[in-house]
Amino acid sequence: MAELSERRRERSHMEYRNLMNRLKRIEGQIRGIEGMLEKDAYCPDILIQVSSVNSALNSFNKELMASHIRGCVANDIRNGDDEVIDELVKVMQKLMK
């Protein structure tokens, strides 16, 4: 697991609930894939489910990134902290591997 930043962000109840709901659905999809493996499901069927999980994770990332840009990044820039732009570029480079 990657090293965590010391920075924190308090999220609204709605944002937290929305992100957690997405993660719970993804967790359920992963458990479904585990079940498929246990039942010796056909490889292409499993691969299609893995593709669905990847899509769900990408959607989660897009939502979280948008929130980060609108909140943390915008606030830091308004407060004169342009270093947040370099941080954002690094994060985007990692996400786009």
Side-chain angles (χ1 to χ4, degrees):
M1 190 166 157
E3 185 177 322
L4 295 178
S5 169
E6 295 295 320
R7 295 183 69 180
R8 298 288 178 256
R9 167 143 189 254
E10 196 170 315
R11 291 174 178 78
S12 71
H13 175 72
M14 179 76 95
E15 181 184 3
Y16 173 82
R17 191 179 71 203
N18 187 24
L19 291 171
M20 285 301 288
N21 286 342
R22 284 178 178 269
L23 287 177
K24 294 295 182 186
R25 281 192 299 271
I26 293 166
E27 183 180 33
Q29 289 176 297
I30 296 291
R31 281 195 305 272
I33 293 169
E34 289 173 345
M36 292 174 80
L37 277 174
E38 290 168 355
K39 294 175 185 170
D40 296 324
Y42 190 52
C43 297
D45 294 337
I46 296 171
L47 290 167
I48 289 168
Q49 291 305 309
V50 170
S51 177
S52 293
V53 169
N54 284 332
S55 178
L57 283 169
N58 284 334
S59 292
F60 177 88
N61 278 345
K62 287 177 199 174
E63 186 169 326
L64 187 58
M65 179 63 75
S67 174
H68 177 62
I69 291 169
R70 288 186 189 110
C72 302
V73 174
N75 288 334
D76 285 352
I77 290 171
R78 283 186 204 109
N79 292 329
D81 182 5
D82 290 341
E83 291 177 15
V84 72
I85 296 168
D86 292 332
E87 176 188 67
L88 179 61
V89 169
K90 286 178 188 173
V91 169
M92 291 181 74
Q93 288 171 338
K94 287 181 180 182
L95 289 174
M96 293 181 179
K97 283 185 182 180

